[in-house]
């Protein structure tokens, strides 16, 4: 009896949601979301909230710097789930370089350059469900800096090494926490002391 009531409530909820419910079904299939009928409706609420934000950005692109927004694998995550993926947990943040007017102007003049298409940077990477953005940020910065040395198709530097090794390593603690968060500077410190692993599938290619 209780099961029948729950199923009837879900059916009514789904009908009230209309197109957004159907849209979430397609989204869940695309990204391989493993959900039951009940949890699907829970996640669909987060998906709908994200959809409204995306629609707002795309309606007012002039306000948002001309950006075009869309869905990705994080669109149906709750705020707590997203927070768990943020990689600066349990770290002491160091002072970074100030964003001076000169640096800001220099960055602004290059906002429309696709460095991945031109071959000086790799395409966008995916850290999955591991809170390791510190490692991806640290290695992407090093990879992107190689074009100043006259290279295209820069080497791919291992983010996994940072996740595995920039905590306790041979008696020295670099103060990162694997998938539990870290700091780019700590990964760079590890690299200065121990070197960094490269992926052989991404060799240097000198510019002609």
């Amino acid at each position: 009896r209780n099961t029948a009531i729950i199923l009837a409530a879900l059916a009514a909820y789904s009908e009230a949601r209309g197109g957004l419910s159907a849209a979430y079904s397609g989204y869940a299939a695309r990204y391989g979301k493993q959900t039951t009928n009940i949890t699907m409706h829970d996640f669909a609420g987060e998906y709908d909230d994200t959809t409204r934000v995306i629609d707002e950005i795309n309606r007012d692109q002039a306000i948002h710097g001309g950006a075009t927004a869309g869905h990705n694998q994080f669109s149906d995550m709750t705020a707590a789930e997203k927070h768990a993926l943020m990689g600066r947990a349990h770290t002491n943040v160091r002072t970074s370089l100030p964003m001076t007017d000169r640096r800001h102007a220099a960055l602004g003049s290059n906002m429309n350059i696709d460095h991945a298409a031109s071959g000086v940077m790799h395409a966008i990477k995916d850290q999955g469900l591991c809170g390791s953005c510190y490692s991806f940020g640290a290695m992407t910065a090093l990879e992107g800096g190689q074009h100043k040395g006259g290279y295209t198709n820069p080497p791919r530097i291992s983010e996994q090494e940072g996740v595995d090794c920039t905590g306790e390593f041979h008696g020295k603690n670099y103060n990162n926490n694997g998938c539990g968060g870290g700091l780019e500077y700590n990964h760079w410190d590890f690299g200065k002391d121990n070197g960094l692993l490269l992926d052989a599938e991404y060799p240097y290619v000198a510019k002609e």
Side-chain angles (χ1 to χ4, degrees):
R1 185 176 181 182
N2 288 338
T3 300
I5 293 173
I6 292 172
L7 291 176
L10 287 176
Y13 183 67
S14 180
E15 182 178 353
R17 295 177 63 81
L20 283 177
S21 180
Y24 182 71
S25 297
Y27 166 84
R30 177 182 178 184
Y31 287 99
K33 303 285 184 174
Q34 302 297 319
T35 57
T36 65
N37 286 337
I38 294 177
T39 58
M40 174 177 161
H41 283 77
D42 292 337
F43 290 125
E46 301 295 336
Y47 172 86
D48 291 351
D49 290 341
T50 303
T51 298
R52 282 186 278 273
V53 173
I54 289 171
D55 290 344
E56 178 183 340
I57 291 173
N58 291 338
R59 278 195 307 269
D60 301 310
Q61 287 185 320
I63 298 176
H64 298 282
T68 299
H71 284 289
N72 59 26
Q73 66 269 39
F74 307 111
S75 294
D76 67 342
M77 287 187 177
T78 65
E81 289 172 321
K82 293 174 183 176
H83 179 74
L85 298 179
M86 301 300 178
R88 291 189 179 274
H90 315 301
T91 58
N92 296 317
V93 178
R94 302 184 191 178
T95 302
S96 60
L97 292 174
M99 180 58 75
T100 63
D101 290 340
R102 182 176 178 182
R103 290 182 67 222
H104 185 274
L107 289 172
S109 65
N110 294 299
M111 291 300 287
N112 294 320
I113 297 176
D114 186 344
H115 289 293
S118 65
V120 298
M121 289 189 70
H122 295 292
I124 294 173
K125 305 169 184 177
D126 184 357
Q127 70 188 59
L129 298 179
C130 175
S132 56
C133 63
Y134 65 92
S135 185
F136 281 78
M139 297 304 97
T140 298
L142 293 181
E143 292 167 358
Q146 300 303 313
H147 76 278
K148 290 186 176 181
Y151 296 99
T152 58
N153 189 25
R156 176 70 184 267
I157 310 175
S158 173
E159 293 88 9
Q160 188 64 54
E161 181 185 28
V163 174
D164 293 339
C165 302
T166 61
E168 184 75 25
F169 186 79
H170 287 224
K172 182 171 181 178
N173 190 352
Y174 291 92
N175 298 309
N176 284 339
N177 297 278
C179 286
L183 196 64
E184 293 90 338
Y185 296 102
N186 297 338
H187 196 164
W188 291 328
D189 285 344
F190 170 87
K192 286 189 294 185
D193 292 343
N194 304 284
L196 296 168
L197 293 177
L198 303 180
D199 188 329
E201 295 183 7
Y202 296 86
Y204 279 110
V205 177
K207 290 182 178 179
E208 296 180 358

